[in-house]
Amino acid sequence: QVQLVESGGGLVQPGGSLRLSCAASGSLFRFYAMGWYRQAPGKQRDLVARISGTGTTNYADSVKGRFTISRDNAKNTVYLQMNSLNPEDTATYYCNANGLGHNYWGQGTQVTVSS
């Protein structure tokens, strides 16, 4: 069982930046592909960014060039640096770990972009 704990969400003005963190428990972190998803009220949960255990990344078109996903396997942590935020980025952001036949979710952290 892997526990994921997100942090770093909050209220930010349009054009601002936030950095989300997701700390994972356990000793097999490096074997999991890690992802950030987001869900706005009344909408489905969508992939924002994903990083493999070896560092290969992919992004949703809507965040390319603005968001950067990274991981520190020594710290069991994945990050999402979010720049040039706009109101359409407002959502609950969830951390995901997928691998070894398992799929785990964090509890989510709220990001609100508003003036």
Side-chain angles (χ1 to χ4, degrees):
Q1 185 79 9
V2 173
Q3 293 184 327
L4 303 173
V5 179
E6 300 105 330
S7 60
L11 173 64
V12 63
Q13 292 186 343
S17 298
L18 281 176
R19 188 195 196 202
L20 305 183
S21 299
C22 172
S25 64
S27 60
L28 301 176
F29 176 78
R30 66 190 184 280
F31 295 113
Y32 289 93
M34 300 299 297
W36 286 98
Y37 290 72
R38 66 187 181 187
Q39 187 170 20
K43 295 188 176 181
Q44 66 181 20
R45 188 175 298 187
D46 292 326
L47 176 69
V48 175
R50 187 174 181 272
I51 185 167
S52 72
T54 55
T56 301
T57 59
N58 60 284
Y59 297 90
D61 288 343
S62 60
V63 306
K64 283 181 180 177
R66 300 189 298 124
F67 290 11
T68 302
I69 189 170
S70 61
R71 67 190 294 161
D72 185 337
N73 288 341
K75 295 183 178 180
N76 278 20
T77 302
V78 62
Y79 305 96
L80 185 67
Q81 177 67 42
M82 305 186 293
N83 299 327
S84 301
L85 285 160
N86 59 62
E88 289 70 38
D89 296 314
T90 295
T92 301
Y93 284 69
Y94 296 91
C95 180
N96 174 266
N98 184 272
L100 303 176
H102 299 285
N103 194 53
Y104 300 101
W105 292 95
Q107 82 288 352
T109 185
Q110 178 67 35
V111 172
T112 302
V113 185
S114 175
S115 55

